[in-house]
Each structure stands twice: as C-alpha cells, then as structure tokens.
Amino acid sequence: MSKGKFDGKLVKEILLGIASIGAVASLTVLLAAAPGFGVVAKVFIDWYEKQNKYRRHRIRKTFQSLRRSRLIEEKEFPDGTTRIVLSENGQKKILKYKFDDFQMRDFRKWDGKWQFIIFDLPKKFIREREIWRYKLKTLGFYLLQKSVWIYPYPCRDEIDFITEYLKISPYVRIVEVNDFDGKEEAKRFFFN
C-alpha cells in the first residue's frame, strides 16, 4: 500500500477493528458484506453502514489494499465459516500501533515505593536503546542516572510489554525500593 494513497487512520481503524473482533469469541456470527469486504462480523457491517457514501468507497478500497498488502487474509475454520483475520504481518502492525499508543496506568495513591528500571543493553541494540530511552521519557519516567530510570508506581506489566516488543527483556531489571539518595528530587519531579 503506497503512502498517501490511503488514509493511515482508516487502515489503523480497520486493523484494530479486525483484531478486536478476533479477540471476542461472542462475535462469531458472520455475514456477507458489501463488495470488497468478503466475510466480516456483523459489528463491522454495522460500522460500515453508518458511514457516508464516500467513506464507504474508501473503506472498500482500503480492505482490498489490506488484502493485497497481505495484512489481512481470509481463513476457513473447522466449523465451516470463513473469516477475515489479521495475517502475521497484520498482527505485527497491530503490535506496533499498540506500542506507539501505549500509555501508563493512572494511580490515585502512591504507596511510597519506587520502581527502579535498570538496564544494560549490548552494543548491537543501538536502535532499541534509543527507542527504549525515548519511550521511558515520554511515559514520564525519571532518569536517575545513565541506565537507571525510576517510577513511583507499579509498572512491571508496562515494562514487560515494552521490553518484549523491543526484544530486550533479558537486559532489563526492575527493583522496588523504599528509600534512596536523591528521592527528594524525584518526588519534586513526580508530585509537584
């Protein structure tokens, strides 16, 4: 799919829609859809029918392009149904969307414990190191020193997601502490 030819937001919306339908077992009722769709879940058809004529045309063209790009494919299941599913490349694209849109959970009350995220990446991970540091900074972590970031709330699940996505999890550790030198500066960073 050439850049600029199709709306990136529409591609994202369709791929995330297919991913969410695939994840929900109750949405297995499938119907024949408008030309260009193949077979999709009713919830997708309902969304499609709410669109204006121009947007419907763009949706059909985007579905065709997603098939040609091998981001989606039709798959036959043992029960005889055929469904549109994400291909392996489509699943990677969804993971990238989730990584790009990833946000930290909100916490109402601090338990007084600090999460230290310590890492030592081998030199071959130059690109991953830059993405890792950028992601921690944009998520609101505090850089205590070169390879040590801190966060005042539990964040193991979030760190696991990021490190698995970047394939650096063997080089990252999380340590929970109650006290450390420099905590006053960190408190000002997080709580003022």
Side-chain angles (χ1 to χ4, degrees), residues 57-133:
H57 174 74
R58 291 185 61 206
I59 292 168
R60 286 193 306 275
K61 290 293 188 185
T62 302
F63 259 92
Q64 291 169 357
S65 179
L66 290 171
R67 272 197 198 117
R68 280 192 306 275
S69 301
R70 294 187 175 95
L71 293 174
I72 61 173
E73 56 192 22
E74 289 185 15
K75 183 176 179 184
E76 284 199 34
F77 287 83
D79 64 359
T81 60
T82 302
R83 302 178 198 166
I84 291 180
V85 297
L86 295 172
S87 66
E88 186 176 328
N89 287 338
Q91 291 172 8
K92 288 177 184 175
K93 188 94 166 154
I94 289 295
L95 190 57
K96 173 139 179 39
Y97 288 146
K98 289 180 179 180
F99 180 79
D100 291 345
D101 295 344
F102 184 75
Q103 297 292 317
M104 297 299 289
R105 291 176 285 166
D106 287 330
F107 288 89
R108 302 220 183 270
K109 188 177 178 191
W110 182 45
D111 63 3
K113 296 179 183 173
W114 296 95
Q115 310 302 309
F116 275 57
I117 294 71
I118 303 164
F119 67 96
D120 186 16
L121 302 180
K123 290 185 183 205
K124 69 179 181 177
F125 291 102
I126 292 171
R127 182 180 161 275
E128 290 84 354
R129 180 183 288 112
E130 293 307 313
I131 295 169
W132 166 248
R133 287 179 177 155

Side-chain angles (χ1 to χ4, degrees), residues 129-164:
R129 180 183 288 112
E130 293 307 313
I131 295 169
W132 166 248
R133 287 179 177 155
Y134 176 78
K135 196 66 170 176
L136 289 175
K137 183 177 182 177
T138 59
L139 290 173
F141 285 73
Y142 176 74
L143 179 62
L144 185 63
Q145 62 185 53
K146 190 175 179 183
S147 295
V148 180
W149 293 76
I150 59 174
Y151 199 69
Y153 303 108
C155 57
R156 183 168 300 278
D157 291 342
E158 292 85 350
I159 294 299
D160 285 349
F161 173 74
I162 297 167
T163 58
E164 286 297 320

